[in-house]
Amino acid sequence: MLTDDEIDGSDTFVLGFMGIVMLLVLALLIWFVVRSLTGGFQKQIRNYIKASDDPQATEQALDRFYEDTMQDGKVRMSRSWLMYDKGGNSWVLAGDDVVWAYQHTVRHKAYGILTVRKEVMVRVFGAKEKRACHDIYVRNEDEAQEILRQMQSTYPDAMIGYNAEIEKRYRANPVTFHQEVAAARRQPAAAPAAEPTEPAQEPESKPLY
C-alpha cells in the first residue's frame, strides 16, 4: 500500500515519458522558428538569387513579385516568375524558363488492386535546368486544371499538355524544344507538331506499390 509520500512506479514512468515528449516538441518548435527566421525554408530561392547576375536587384524584384501577386493554393504566378510551395519549402522558377507543363496522376495499388487513392500534381519542366522537373502537388484534378489554365495564359511560350511526341522532343533538347514552341506560337498559321488535343492531357501513370 502506498503512503502519502510514495509514487507508484508506473506513474513515474508515465510522467518521465510525458516530460521527454514535451522536451522533443519544444525542441522541434524552436528548430522550426529558427529555420523560419533564418530563411531555411527558402534555400532554393536564396540559391537562385545568389546565382543571378545581379543578386540585389533580383531579390528586390522577387520581393515586389511576392507582394504584387495573390497566392492561389500553393502557387504564385507572373510573367517573370513561378513560385510554389512543396513540403514546407518555397521554390521559384523564372517565367521564361517555364517550357512544358501537364497534369500527372499517380494511382496507387494495394495487394495488386488499384485503389481510389491517388496523387495529383502539375509537372513543370524548364529549359535552363536541363530535364529539371518541378512537381506541384494539388488536392484534386480540378485544381490541377485551373493551375494549367493560368499557366497557359501567363506563359504563352510554354507547351501545356502531354503526349509521347512532346516528351520525346523535350528530352532530346529542352532549349531547342522551347525555341520551336515559342516560334510556332508567334506564327498562328503554323501550329507546332504534336500539339496535344486537350490543353492538359495527362500521361498514363505507373501505380505505386
Side-chain angles (χ1 to χ4, degrees), residues 10-62:
S10 61
D11 292 337
T12 303
F13 173 79
V14 171
L15 290 173
F17 179 77
M18 290 178 61
I20 293 173
V21 170
M22 290 179 65
L23 287 174
L24 289 174
V25 171
L26 180 60
L28 183 62
L29 180 61
I30 293 173
W31 171 84
F32 184 86
V33 171
V34 170
R35 192 174 184 205
S36 298
L37 293 175
T38 57
F41 293 111
Q42 287 79 39
K43 183 178 180 180
Q44 186 270 345
I45 295 178
R46 288 189 287 111
N47 290 338
Y48 177 88
I49 293 172
K50 186 178 179 180
S52 65
D53 294 333
D54 188 340
Q56 184 176 1
T58 300
E59 183 174 7
Q60 292 174 350
L62 277 171

Side-chain angles (χ1 to χ4, degrees), residues 22 31 40 61 104 110 118 138 161 200 203 207:
M22 290 179 65
W31 171 84
H104 181 68
K118 59 184 179 181
V138 295

Side-chain angles (χ1 to χ4, degrees), residues 150-198:
Q150 292 179 25
M151 292 181 69
Q152 196 164 39
S153 61
T154 305
Y155 310 112
D157 293 339
M159 176 69 78
I160 307 297
Y162 177 92
N163 64 38
E165 180 61 27
I166 292 174
E167 181 172 8
K168 181 180 177 181
R169 289 167 55 203
Y170 173 81
R171 300 293 182 188
N173 191 316
V175 176
T176 299
F177 172 81
H178 195 195
Q179 292 170 348
E180 290 175 351
V181 173
R185 291 287 161 81
R186 289 174 175 78
Q187 299 176 10
E195 181 80 20
T197 55
E198 297 294 333

Side-chain angles (χ1 to χ4, degrees), residues 40-168:
F41 293 111
Q42 287 79 39
K43 183 178 180 180
Q44 186 270 345
I45 295 178
R46 288 189 287 111
N47 290 338
Y48 177 88
I49 293 172
K50 186 178 179 180
S52 65
D53 294 333
D54 188 340
Q56 184 176 1
T58 300
E59 183 174 7
Q60 292 174 350
L62 277 171
D63 286 341
R64 289 194 297 272
F65 159 76
Y66 191 86
E67 293 172 356
D68 295 342
T69 55
M70 293 289 292
Q71 183 166 348
D72 186 0
K74 298 180 178 180
V75 182
R76 292 176 183 270
M77 289 187 214
S78 77
R79 189 67 185 88
S80 299
W81 286 292
L82 167 69
M83 183 181 290
Y84 67 97
D85 296 332
K86 181 178 181 181
N89 295 286
S90 298
W91 293 73
V92 68
L93 182 66
D96 59 4
D97 194 29
V98 176
V99 176
W100 176 33
Y102 61 86
Q103 175 186 318
H104 181 68
T105 303
V106 177
R107 302 183 186 278
H108 295 265
K109 276 187 175 183
Y111 305 105
I113 302 173
L114 279 173
T115 67
V116 295
R117 181 169 173 249
K118 59 184 179 181
E119 290 180 314
V120 182
M121 66 198 78
V122 173
R123 284 197 155 170
V124 184
F125 293 81
K128 297 175 184 176
E129 303 173 83
K130 190 173 182 180
R131 296 183 178 85
C133 176
H134 298 260
D135 287 340
I136 305 173
Y137 287 84
V138 295
R139 290 168 296 184
N140 50 52
E141 294 182 357
D142 289 341
E143 186 175 350
Q145 291 298 310
E146 178 58 32
I147 289 174
L148 289 166
R149 279 192 289 270
Q150 292 179 25
M151 292 181 69
Q152 196 164 39
S153 61
T154 305
Y155 310 112
D157 293 339
M159 176 69 78
I160 307 297
Y162 177 92
N163 64 38
E165 180 61 27
I166 292 174
E167 181 172 8
K168 181 180 177 181

